[in-house]
Amino acid sequence: MKGNLIISNVRIVTPVGREALKGAAMSDLLTISDGCIIITEGIISYAGSMEDRPMTRPDEHYDEIDAKGCVALPGFVDSHTHLVFGGFRPDEFGWRLQGDSYMSIMERGGGIQSTVNATRVESMETLKQKAQWFIDRMSEMGVTTVEAKSGYGLDTATEIKMLDVIGELASEPEQRLNVVATFLGAHAVPREYAGRTEEYVDLMVREMLPAAKGKARFCDVFCERNVFEIGESRRLLKAASDMGFLLKLHADEIVSLGGAELSAELGAVSADHLLHVSEKGIKDMADAGVVATLLPLTAFALKEEYAPARRFIDSGVAVALATDLNPGSCFSGSIPLTIALACLYMGMTVEETITALTLNGAAAVGMADRIGSLEAGKQGDVVLLGSDNYNVLPYYVGMNCVKATIHNGVVVSVNP
Ligand code: NIG
Ligand code: FE
Protein backbone atom coordinates (compact mmCIF):
# COMPACT_ATOMS: atom_id res chain seq x y z
CA MET A 1 0.00 0.00 0.00
CA LYS A 2 1.51 3.30 -1.07
CA GLY A 3 -0.56 6.46 -1.19
CA ASN A 4 -0.54 10.02 -2.46
CA LEU A 5 -1.47 12.32 0.41
CA ILE A 6 -1.38 16.03 1.29
CA ILE A 7 -1.52 16.97 4.98
CA SER A 8 -2.07 20.70 5.28
CA ASN A 9 -2.19 23.36 8.03
CA VAL A 10 -0.34 21.09 10.44
CA ARG A 11 2.31 21.83 13.07
CA ILE A 12 5.30 19.72 11.99
CA VAL A 13 7.60 18.59 14.82
CA THR A 14 10.50 16.35 13.86
CA PRO A 15 14.12 15.45 14.48
CA VAL A 16 16.23 15.84 11.36
CA GLY A 17 18.81 13.58 9.78
CA ARG A 18 19.66 10.07 8.71
CA GLU A 19 21.40 8.84 11.81
CA ALA A 20 20.74 8.68 15.55
CA LEU A 21 20.91 11.94 17.49
CA LYS A 22 23.28 11.70 20.43
CA GLY A 23 23.20 13.43 23.78
CA ALA A 24 22.13 17.08 23.71
CA ALA A 25 21.24 16.87 20.01
CA MET A 26 18.28 14.68 20.99
CA SER A 27 16.46 17.90 21.95
CA ASP A 28 16.92 19.52 18.54
CA LEU A 29 13.50 19.30 16.95
CA LEU A 30 12.52 21.22 13.86
CA THR A 31 9.13 22.92 14.30
CA ILE A 32 7.10 24.38 11.45
CA SER A 33 3.91 25.94 12.81
CA ASP A 34 1.95 26.24 9.59
CA GLY A 35 3.24 23.20 7.78
CA CYS A 36 2.40 20.94 4.90
CA ILE A 37 3.50 17.37 4.18
CA ILE A 38 3.14 15.92 0.70
CA ILE A 39 3.54 12.17 0.27
CA THR A 40 3.92 10.83 -3.26
CA GLU A 41 3.66 7.10 -3.86
CA GLY A 42 4.38 6.45 -0.21
CA ILE A 43 7.46 8.67 0.06
CA ILE A 44 7.59 12.19 1.53
CA SER A 45 8.16 14.56 -1.39
CA TYR A 46 7.75 17.77 0.63
CA ALA A 47 7.75 18.70 4.34
CA GLY A 48 7.82 22.44 4.91
CA SER A 49 5.72 25.55 5.24
CA MET A 50 2.28 25.92 3.68
CA GLU A 51 3.52 29.05 1.99
CA ASP A 52 6.35 27.38 0.06
CA ARG A 53 4.55 24.16 -0.81
CA PRO A 54 4.91 23.05 -4.41
CA MET A 55 1.90 22.45 -6.61
CA THR A 56 1.15 18.80 -7.21
CA ARG A 57 0.60 17.62 -10.77
CA PRO A 58 -3.08 18.03 -11.65
CA ASP A 59 -3.20 14.64 -13.41
CA GLU A 60 -2.27 12.80 -10.19
CA HIS A 61 -4.83 12.18 -7.47
CA TYR A 62 -3.92 13.07 -3.89
CA ASP A 63 -6.06 12.47 -0.81
CA GLU A 64 -6.13 15.53 1.42
CA ILE A 65 -6.27 16.01 5.19
CA ASP A 66 -6.75 19.43 6.74
CA ALA A 67 -4.86 18.85 10.00
CA LYS A 68 -5.41 22.27 11.55
CA GLY A 69 -4.94 22.02 15.32
CA CYS A 70 -2.79 18.87 15.07
CA VAL A 71 0.89 18.13 15.57
CA ALA A 72 2.50 15.86 12.95
CA LEU A 73 5.33 13.68 14.22
CA PRO A 74 7.27 10.97 12.39
CA GLY A 75 5.66 7.54 12.86
CA PHE A 76 6.83 5.88 16.07
CA VAL A 77 9.35 3.04 15.93
CA ASP A 78 8.95 0.35 18.58
CA SER A 79 12.44 -1.08 18.26
CA HIS A 80 12.24 -3.89 20.86
CA THR A 81 9.30 -6.29 21.10
CA HIS A 82 8.59 -9.99 21.48
CA LEU A 83 5.22 -9.77 19.77
CA VAL A 84 5.00 -13.33 18.46
CA PHE A 85 4.37 -15.92 21.18
CA GLY A 86 2.12 -18.82 22.17
CA GLY A 87 0.00 -18.81 25.34
CA PHE A 88 -0.11 -16.22 28.13
CA ARG A 89 1.41 -16.07 31.64
CA PRO A 90 -1.06 -14.39 34.01
CA ASP A 91 -0.28 -16.89 36.79
CA GLU A 92 3.33 -15.81 36.76
CA PHE A 93 2.23 -12.22 37.22
CA GLY A 94 0.27 -13.35 40.28
CA TRP A 95 3.35 -15.13 41.71
CA ARG A 96 5.40 -12.01 41.23
CA LEU A 97 2.76 -10.01 43.10
CA GLN A 98 3.30 -12.41 45.99
CA GLY A 99 7.04 -11.78 46.02
CA ASP A 100 8.48 -14.29 43.56
CA SER A 101 11.22 -12.84 41.34
CA TYR A 102 11.38 -12.94 37.54
CA MET A 103 14.65 -14.91 37.58
CA SER A 104 13.56 -17.42 40.25
CA ILE A 105 10.47 -18.29 38.17
CA MET A 106 12.70 -18.71 35.12
CA GLU A 107 15.21 -20.86 37.03
CA ARG A 108 12.50 -23.34 38.02
CA GLY A 109 11.48 -23.85 34.40
CA GLY A 110 8.70 -21.27 34.19
CA GLY A 111 8.99 -17.86 32.59
CA ILE A 112 10.41 -17.90 29.07
CA GLN A 113 10.46 -21.74 29.00
CA SER A 114 6.69 -21.89 29.59
CA THR A 115 6.10 -19.62 26.59
CA VAL A 116 8.52 -21.82 24.63
CA ASN A 117 6.38 -24.87 25.42
CA ALA A 118 3.26 -23.05 24.23
CA THR A 119 4.91 -21.63 21.10
CA ARG A 120 6.34 -24.96 19.96
CA VAL A 121 2.86 -26.50 19.67
CA GLU A 122 1.13 -23.44 18.19
CA SER A 123 0.29 -23.21 14.48
CA MET A 124 1.76 -20.46 12.33
CA GLU A 125 -1.72 -19.19 11.58
CA THR A 126 -2.63 -18.78 15.26
CA LEU A 127 0.70 -17.12 16.09
CA LYS A 128 0.18 -14.75 13.20
CA GLN A 129 -3.39 -13.81 14.11
CA LYS A 130 -2.40 -13.15 17.69
CA ALA A 131 0.55 -10.97 16.67
CA GLN A 132 -1.65 -9.08 14.21
CA TRP A 133 -3.97 -8.13 17.07
CA PHE A 134 -1.02 -6.46 18.84
CA ILE A 135 0.09 -4.81 15.60
CA ASP A 136 -3.38 -3.30 15.16
CA ARG A 137 -3.30 -1.87 18.69
CA MET A 138 0.23 -0.52 18.14
CA SER A 139 -0.85 1.19 14.94
CA GLU A 140 -3.60 2.98 16.86
CA MET A 141 -0.88 4.35 19.16
CA GLY A 142 1.15 5.71 16.24
CA VAL A 143 3.62 2.89 15.62
CA THR A 144 4.64 2.58 11.96
CA THR A 145 7.67 0.30 12.42
CA VAL A 146 8.00 -2.55 14.88
CA GLU A 147 10.90 -4.87 15.60
CA ALA A 148 9.83 -8.44 16.44
CA LYS A 149 12.05 -11.13 17.90
CA SER A 150 12.01 -14.90 17.72
CA GLY A 151 13.21 -16.56 20.92
CA TYR A 152 10.28 -18.69 22.05
CA GLY A 153 11.32 -21.70 19.98
CA LEU A 154 14.84 -22.47 21.16
CA ASP A 155 14.99 -25.29 18.64
CA THR A 156 15.75 -24.77 14.98
CA ALA A 157 12.31 -25.65 13.66
CA THR A 158 10.37 -23.37 16.03
CA GLU A 159 12.83 -20.47 15.78
CA ILE A 160 12.43 -20.60 12.01
CA LYS A 161 8.65 -20.97 12.36
CA MET A 162 8.64 -17.75 14.40
CA LEU A 163 10.81 -15.93 11.85
CA ASP A 164 8.49 -17.14 9.09
CA VAL A 165 5.49 -15.77 11.01
CA ILE A 166 7.31 -12.44 11.36
CA GLY A 167 8.17 -12.55 7.64
CA GLU A 168 4.54 -13.18 6.69
CA LEU A 169 3.38 -10.33 8.91
CA ALA A 170 5.95 -8.06 7.24
CA SER A 171 4.84 -8.93 3.73
CA GLU A 172 1.07 -8.84 4.35
CA PRO A 173 -0.14 -6.59 1.50
CA GLU A 174 -2.43 -4.52 3.76
CA GLN A 175 0.03 -4.41 6.67
CA ARG A 176 -0.19 -1.23 8.74
CA LEU A 177 3.49 -0.95 9.62
CA ASN A 178 7.02 -2.10 8.78
CA VAL A 179 8.09 -5.25 10.61
CA VAL A 180 11.81 -5.88 11.27
CA ALA A 181 12.89 -9.39 12.30
CA THR A 182 15.43 -10.32 14.96
CA PHE A 183 16.76 -13.82 15.68
CA LEU A 184 16.80 -14.40 19.45
CA GLY A 185 17.60 -18.10 19.71
CA ALA A 186 19.73 -17.05 22.69
CA HIS A 187 16.72 -15.98 24.75
CA ALA A 188 17.17 -18.80 27.27
CA VAL A 189 18.92 -22.15 27.45
CA PRO A 190 16.21 -24.67 26.50
CA ARG A 191 15.28 -27.42 28.93
CA GLU A 192 16.91 -30.07 26.68
CA TYR A 193 20.28 -28.29 27.03
CA ALA A 194 20.12 -27.55 30.78
CA GLY A 195 23.70 -27.34 32.08
CA ARG A 196 25.09 -27.52 28.52
CA THR A 197 24.99 -23.88 27.47
CA GLU A 198 28.13 -24.10 25.30
CA GLU A 199 26.58 -26.98 23.34
CA TYR A 200 23.45 -24.91 22.78
CA VAL A 201 25.64 -22.04 21.52
CA ASP A 202 27.27 -24.57 19.16
CA LEU A 203 23.82 -25.54 17.86
CA MET A 204 22.91 -21.90 17.22
CA VAL A 205 26.17 -21.24 15.41
CA ARG A 206 26.09 -24.45 13.39
CA GLU A 207 22.40 -24.74 12.55
CA MET A 208 20.14 -21.90 13.64
CA LEU A 209 22.09 -18.86 12.40
CA PRO A 210 22.56 -20.28 8.88
CA ALA A 211 18.83 -21.13 8.80
CA ALA A 212 17.88 -17.65 10.06
CA LYS A 213 20.07 -15.91 7.52
CA GLY A 214 17.91 -13.88 5.15
CA LYS A 215 14.92 -14.11 7.51
CA ALA A 216 16.29 -11.86 10.29
CA ARG A 217 18.23 -8.61 10.08
CA PHE A 218 19.49 -8.77 13.69
CA CYS A 219 20.87 -11.34 16.10
CA ASP A 220 20.12 -10.64 19.78
CA VAL A 221 21.08 -12.41 23.03
CA PHE A 222 19.77 -12.35 26.61
CA CYS A 223 23.22 -11.65 28.07
CA GLU A 224 22.59 -12.25 31.76
CA ARG A 225 24.00 -14.12 34.75
CA ASN A 226 22.97 -17.80 34.54
CA VAL A 227 21.52 -17.31 31.07
CA PHE A 228 24.17 -16.40 28.47
CA GLU A 229 27.27 -15.12 30.21
CA ILE A 230 29.66 -12.66 28.56
CA GLY A 231 31.89 -15.29 26.92
CA GLU A 232 28.96 -17.26 25.52
CA SER A 233 27.27 -14.11 24.26
CA ARG A 234 30.49 -12.92 22.62
CA ARG A 235 30.98 -16.22 20.80
CA LEU A 236 27.44 -16.26 19.43
CA LEU A 237 27.41 -12.60 18.41
CA LYS A 238 30.80 -12.80 16.71
CA ALA A 239 29.61 -15.75 14.65
CA ALA A 240 26.41 -13.87 13.80
CA SER A 241 28.34 -10.77 12.80
CA ASP A 242 30.61 -12.85 10.57
CA MET A 243 27.47 -14.15 8.83
CA GLY A 244 26.22 -10.62 8.21
CA PHE A 245 23.71 -10.14 11.04
CA LEU A 246 23.54 -6.78 12.78
CA LEU A 247 23.80 -7.12 16.56
CA LYS A 248 21.60 -6.33 19.56
CA LEU A 249 21.90 -7.36 23.21
CA HIS A 250 19.57 -7.63 26.19
CA ALA A 251 22.27 -6.11 28.40
CA ASP A 252 22.67 -5.52 32.14
CA GLU A 253 18.94 -5.99 32.75
CA ILE A 254 18.98 -7.93 36.02
CA VAL A 255 22.60 -7.61 37.16
CA SER A 256 25.58 -5.55 36.03
CA LEU A 257 27.35 -8.16 33.93
CA GLY A 258 29.19 -6.07 31.33
CA GLY A 259 26.71 -6.41 28.46
CA ALA A 260 27.03 -2.71 27.66
CA GLU A 261 30.81 -3.03 27.38
CA LEU A 262 30.38 -6.10 25.15
CA SER A 263 27.97 -4.21 22.87
CA ALA A 264 30.62 -1.55 22.34
CA GLU A 265 33.41 -4.11 21.83
CA LEU A 266 31.40 -5.85 19.10
CA GLY A 267 30.02 -2.72 17.43
CA ALA A 268 26.40 -3.66 18.14
CA VAL A 269 23.67 -1.42 16.77
CA SER A 270 21.94 -1.28 20.15
CA ALA A 271 22.15 -2.51 23.72
CA ASP A 272 18.78 -2.75 25.41
CA HIS A 273 17.36 -2.63 28.98
CA LEU A 274 20.55 -1.44 30.77
CA LEU A 275 18.92 -1.01 34.18
CA HIS A 276 22.20 -1.95 35.87
CA VAL A 277 24.70 -0.51 33.40
CA SER A 278 28.11 0.50 34.78
CA GLU A 279 29.73 3.93 34.28
CA LYS A 280 32.31 2.25 32.03
CA GLY A 281 29.52 0.65 30.02
CA ILE A 282 27.95 4.05 29.38
CA LYS A 283 31.29 5.52 28.33
CA ASP A 284 32.10 2.58 26.05
CA MET A 285 28.68 2.86 24.38
CA ALA A 286 29.18 6.61 23.87
CA ASP A 287 32.61 6.02 22.30
CA ALA A 288 31.37 3.21 20.05
CA GLY A 289 28.09 4.92 19.04
CA VAL A 290 25.85 2.12 20.31
CA VAL A 291 22.19 3.14 20.72
CA ALA A 292 20.86 2.63 24.27
CA THR A 293 17.34 1.26 23.93
CA LEU A 294 15.56 1.86 27.21
CA LEU A 295 12.39 0.00 28.14
CA PRO A 296 10.61 1.80 30.99
CA LEU A 297 7.52 -0.43 30.91
CA THR A 298 9.66 -3.45 31.89
CA ALA A 299 11.24 -1.66 34.84
CA PHE A 300 7.75 -0.55 35.87
CA ALA A 301 6.23 -4.02 35.59
CA LEU A 302 9.16 -5.70 37.40
CA LYS A 303 9.23 -2.94 40.05
CA GLU A 304 12.90 -2.27 39.25
CA GLU A 305 14.83 1.01 39.19
CA TYR A 306 14.53 2.73 35.82
CA ALA A 307 17.50 2.83 33.46
CA PRO A 308 19.69 5.93 33.92
CA ALA A 309 18.45 7.82 30.86
CA ARG A 310 19.91 11.14 31.97
CA ARG A 311 23.37 9.70 32.49
CA PHE A 312 23.26 8.17 29.02
CA ILE A 313 22.10 11.37 27.34
CA ASP A 314 24.45 13.59 29.31
CA SER A 315 27.35 11.27 28.32
CA GLY A 316 26.58 11.70 24.63
CA VAL A 317 24.78 8.39 24.00
CA ALA A 318 21.83 8.15 21.58
CA VAL A 319 18.83 6.88 23.56
CA ALA A 320 15.87 5.08 21.99
CA LEU A 321 12.69 4.09 23.82
CA ALA A 322 10.71 0.92 23.12
CA THR A 323 8.00 -1.14 24.81
CA ASP A 324 9.52 -4.66 25.15
CA LEU A 325 6.00 -6.07 24.70
CA ASN A 326 6.24 -9.74 25.78
CA PRO A 327 4.07 -12.24 27.67
CA GLY A 328 6.27 -12.28 30.79
CA SER A 329 8.30 -9.39 32.14
CA CYS A 330 6.24 -6.72 30.39
CA PHE A 331 2.84 -7.49 28.95
CA SER A 332 2.29 -4.01 27.58
CA GLY A 333 2.85 -2.32 24.26
CA SER A 334 1.69 1.05 25.51
CA ILE A 335 3.50 3.90 23.78
CA PRO A 336 1.63 6.52 25.86
CA LEU A 337 2.72 4.92 29.15
CA THR A 338 6.29 4.51 27.86
CA ILE A 339 6.44 8.27 27.22
CA ALA A 340 4.86 9.18 30.56
CA LEU A 341 7.26 6.97 32.54
CA ALA A 342 10.28 8.27 30.62
CA CYS A 343 9.31 11.86 31.40
CA LEU A 344 8.12 11.33 34.97
CA TYR A 345 10.68 8.85 36.27
CA MET A 346 13.68 8.88 33.95
CA GLY A 347 14.15 12.63 33.68
CA MET A 348 13.73 12.76 29.92
CA THR A 349 12.24 15.85 28.30
CA VAL A 350 9.28 15.50 25.96
CA GLU A 351 11.53 16.49 23.05
CA GLU A 352 13.99 13.72 23.95
CA THR A 353 11.22 11.14 24.09
CA ILE A 354 10.06 12.19 20.62
CA THR A 355 13.56 11.68 19.18
CA ALA A 356 13.93 8.44 21.14
CA LEU A 357 10.74 7.00 19.62
CA THR A 358 11.37 8.21 16.08
CA LEU A 359 14.82 8.83 14.62
CA ASN A 360 16.74 7.00 17.35
CA GLY A 361 14.32 4.07 17.23
CA ALA A 362 14.86 4.03 13.48
CA ALA A 363 18.63 3.87 14.06
CA ALA A 364 18.10 1.03 16.53
CA VAL A 365 16.54 -1.03 13.73
CA GLY A 366 19.16 0.09 11.20
CA MET A 367 16.68 2.17 9.18
CA ALA A 368 17.47 5.80 10.04
CA ASP A 369 18.19 6.50 6.37
CA ARG A 370 14.58 5.61 5.45
CA ILE A 371 12.32 6.40 8.41
CA GLY A 372 12.27 8.34 11.70
CA SER A 373 11.88 11.94 10.50
CA LEU A 374 9.58 14.06 8.39
CA GLU A 375 11.87 14.95 5.51
CA ALA A 376 11.71 14.61 1.76
CA GLY A 377 12.93 11.18 0.69
CA LYS A 378 11.81 9.33 3.82
CA GLN A 379 8.86 6.93 4.03
CA GLY A 380 5.48 8.63 4.39
CA ASP A 381 4.99 7.53 8.01
CA VAL A 382 3.27 10.19 10.12
CA VAL A 383 1.48 10.42 13.47
CA LEU A 384 -1.16 13.12 13.89
CA LEU A 385 -1.83 14.12 17.50
CA GLY A 386 -5.23 15.43 18.48
CA SER A 387 -3.66 18.66 19.75
CA ASP A 388 -1.27 21.35 18.50
CA ASN A 389 0.78 20.98 21.73
CA TYR A 390 3.06 17.97 21.89
CA ASN A 391 3.16 18.09 25.70
CA VAL A 392 -0.03 16.03 25.48
CA LEU A 393 2.26 13.03 24.91
CA PRO A 394 3.19 12.57 28.60
CA TYR A 395 0.22 14.60 29.87
CA TYR A 396 -2.20 11.91 28.68
CA VAL A 397 -0.75 9.43 31.18
CA GLY A 398 -1.28 6.03 29.61
CA MET A 399 -4.07 7.37 27.37
CA ASN A 400 -3.83 7.67 23.64
CA CYS A 401 -3.62 11.18 22.17
CA VAL A 402 -2.99 9.93 18.61
CA LYS A 403 -5.71 10.96 16.20
CA ALA A 404 -4.46 9.23 13.07
CA THR A 405 -1.58 7.06 11.93
CA ILE A 406 -0.31 7.22 8.36
CA HIS A 407 1.94 4.55 6.85
CA ASN A 408 3.42 4.92 3.36
CA GLY A 409 1.01 7.80 2.71
CA VAL A 410 -2.08 5.76 3.62
CA VAL A 411 -4.22 6.47 6.70
CA VAL A 412 -4.05 3.12 8.52
CA SER A 413 -5.64 4.00 11.88
CA VAL A 414 -8.07 6.68 12.98
CA ASN A 415 -9.11 7.22 16.59
CA PRO A 416 -12.37 8.97 17.48
O1 NIG B 1 13.15 -8.40 27.30
N1 NIG B 1 14.67 -10.54 29.49
C1 NIG B 1 14.46 -11.33 28.61
N2 NIG B 1 13.52 -11.27 27.69
C2 NIG B 1 12.32 -10.52 27.78
C3 NIG B 1 11.29 -11.19 28.60
C4 NIG B 1 10.72 -12.35 27.92
C5 NIG B 1 9.72 -13.12 28.73
O2 NIG B 1 9.67 -13.03 29.97
O3 NIG B 1 8.98 -13.85 28.07
C6 NIG B 1 12.63 -9.09 28.16
O4 NIG B 1 12.35 -8.63 29.26
FE1 FE C 1 13.19 -8.06 25.45
Side-chain angles (χ1 to χ4, degrees), residues 38-115:
I38 304 177
I39 301 170
T40 305
E41 288 176 21
I43 302 290
I44 299 174
S45 51
Y46 176 78
S49 68
M50 281 297 282
E51 210 183 349
D52 297 335
R53 72 187 184 282
M55 288 299 132
T56 53
R57 290 190 25 201
D59 53 330
E60 284 178 9
H61 174 77
Y62 280 76
D63 289 329
E64 290 198 45
I65 299 175
D66 182 348
K68 197 167 176 46
C70 295
V71 165
L73 302 173
F76 294 138
V77 180
D78 190 347
S79 61
H80 181 140
T81 84
H82 307 250
L83 87 108
V84 177
F85 57 88
F88 292 97
R89 286 157 42 200
D91 288 346
E92 185 181 311
F93 196 89
W95 300 332
R96 283 197 277 114
L97 290 180
Q98 286 163 23
D100 234 332
S101 76
Y102 178 77
M103 287 309 279
S104 70
I105 294 167
M106 182 165 170
E107 277 153 16
R108 19 177 239 270
I112 293 172
Q113 181 66 47
S114 74
T115 300

Side-chain angles (χ1 to χ4, degrees), residues 322-349:
T323 65
D324 195 24
L325 168 69
N326 74 71
S329 63
C330 178
F331 190 41
S332 174
S334 175
I335 296 291
L337 191 56
T338 298
I339 295 172
L341 294 176
C343 291
L344 289 167
Y345 295 109
M346 292 162 73
M348 289 178 72
T349 65

Side-chain angles (χ1 to χ4, degrees), residues 162-335:
M162 290 190 71
L163 291 177
D164 286 339
V165 168
I166 295 167
E168 287 189 16
L169 290 165
S171 55
E172 198 64 47
E174 303 280 292
Q175 192 51 277
R176 296 158 152 219
L177 39 66
N178 304 311
V179 184
V180 180
T182 294
F183 169 70
L184 179 57
H187 199 185
V189 179
R191 196 175 62 234
E192 312 82 86
Y193 280 84
R196 297 187 294 137
T197 307
E198 291 288 2
E199 284 174 53
Y200 182 58
V201 174
D202 289 341
L203 176 75
M204 285 190 282
V205 171
R206 198 180 61 243
E207 203 175 286
M208 293 190 191
L209 282 173
K213 184 77 195 118
K215 296 177 191 280
R217 172 186 282 244
F218 286 92
C219 177
D220 193 348
V221 56
F222 187 15
C223 177
E224 190 61 54
R225 164 105 359 105
N226 297 334
V227 191
F228 295 94
E229 304 272 348
I230 293 291
E232 294 149 353
S233 302
R234 181 187 286 115
R235 184 155 77 87
L236 173 73
L237 292 174
K238 272 191 160 167
S241 176
D242 289 345
M243 287 185 217
F245 289 88
L246 299 172
L247 306 182
K248 286 182 173 291
L249 290 86
H250 283 64
D252 302 319
E253 177 182 357
I254 316 281
V255 299
S256 183
L257 198 68
E261 290 86 333
L262 182 64
S263 75
E265 175 194 320
L266 297 176
V269 174
S270 76
D272 302 27
H273 284 289
L274 300 163
L275 305 186
H276 300 279
V277 67
S278 69
E279 279 310 316
K280 179 168 183 307
I282 295 177
K283 184 171 180 315
D284 287 0
M285 285 176 66
D287 292 345
V290 181
V291 176
T293 300
L294 307 184
L295 309 162
L297 292 171
T298 313
F300 174 69
L302 292 179
K303 298 205 281 185
E304 292 282 343
E305 289 274 327
Y306 292 90
R310 272 275 48 94
R311 278 176 21 227
F312 275 112
I313 296 172
D314 297 342
S315 307
V317 175
V319 166
L321 286 166
T323 65
D324 195 24
L325 168 69
N326 74 71
S329 63
C330 178
F331 190 41
S332 174
S334 175
I335 296 291

